[in-house]
Amino acid sequence: MSKGIVFDKLDGSSFRIGIVVSRWNNHITDALLGRCKEALFETGVEEKNISVYQVPGAFEIPFVVSKLIREKNIDVIICLGSLIKGETMHFEYIADSVTKAIMRLNIDNDIPIIYGVLTCLTEQQAIDRSSESKNSGYEWGKAAIEMAKMLKH
Ligand code: DLZ
């Protein structure tokens, strides 16, 4: 089964990357960030060309993405967050609004944005997607380079 992500022959050496990562559930988001950066380095992205912006929770991600688009010279933005369903409606409202805001910023601007926000029903589901053996951050890093390349062509 293909996940659609291209893993080989990606050259990220000329790209500047902005990563907006939320601290909420940081045991998950730190792991996503680490693997995402490893995927970027594998494509030749230089450490100095990666700018990481921390925000309190996923809800704050679109605000910073919007600022980056307007103010920074960046080729691709990666959003990393981890929403885990609780007892109230918070999860539904934040997941829905953040997802729609990121999509709107993506299609309204000439810069690709990678949607790396886990929306999990349990903490275990989030752990399973941010572990050593299986980590979605890696795929999102590769997807970012593929999309940055697309913008340049
Ligand atoms: C409030 C809240 C809750 C309940 N759950 C999460 C979550 O699972 N993941 C996440 O990234 N953020 C959560 N937040 C925080 C909101 O995203 C936001 O930071 C606050 O509501 C302040 O605007």
Side-chain angles (χ1 to χ4, degrees):
M1 188 182 69
S2 165
K3 282 192 168 178
I5 309 233
V6 174
F7 292 102
D8 300 323
K9 297 189 183 114
L10 288 169
D11 179 7
S13 57
S14 65
F15 295 134
R16 291 143 307 173
I17 322 288
I19 302 178
V20 186
V21 56
S22 61
R23 281 189 300 268
W24 202 285
N25 297 319
N26 74 324
H27 58 305
I28 306 291
T29 58
D30 286 349
L32 292 173
L33 176 63
R35 256 331 244 153
C36 180
K37 287 178 77 176
E38 281 172 24
L40 296 173
F41 292 143
E42 275 182 15
T43 72
V45 173
E46 294 184 53
E47 175 97 62
K48 68 175 171 58
N49 288 335
I50 302 176
S51 305
V52 178
Y53 302 86
Q54 304 255 356
V55 292
F59 191 77
E60 283 71 40
I61 291 174
F63 174 77
V64 176
V65 170
S66 174
K67 272 184 84 66
L68 293 185
I69 290 169
R70 281 180 279 122
E71 297 171 10
K72 301 280 181 195
N73 199 8
I74 281 175
D75 297 301
V76 59
I77 299 171
I78 305 171
C79 306
L80 298 177
S82 174
L83 285 156
I84 300 174
K85 188 170 170 58
E87 291 175 1
T88 68
M89 289 295 289
H90 234 98
F91 170 85
E92 279 81 359
Y93 285 118
I94 297 175
D96 188 54
S97 56
V98 168
T99 303
K100 284 180 178 150
I102 292 173
M103 175 54 82
R104 185 172 54 76
L105 287 162
N106 200 1
I107 57 183
D108 286 353
N109 295 283
D110 204 16
I111 176 165
I113 304 172
I114 301 302
Y115 175 65
V117 181
L118 293 175
T119 53
C120 296
L121 301 179
T122 64
E123 184 183 8
Q124 189 58 50
Q125 288 180 347
I127 291 169
D128 290 345
R129 286 156 181 79
S130 57
S131 67
E132 284 282 314
S133 58
K134 188 170 174 289
N135 189 313
S136 298
Y138 184 81
E139 292 153 20
W140 294 327
K142 298 287 185 182
I145 300 306
E146 181 180 351
M147 292 307 294
K149 202 173 130 202
M150 210 167 278
L151 182 69
K152 297 269 158 149
H153 286 123

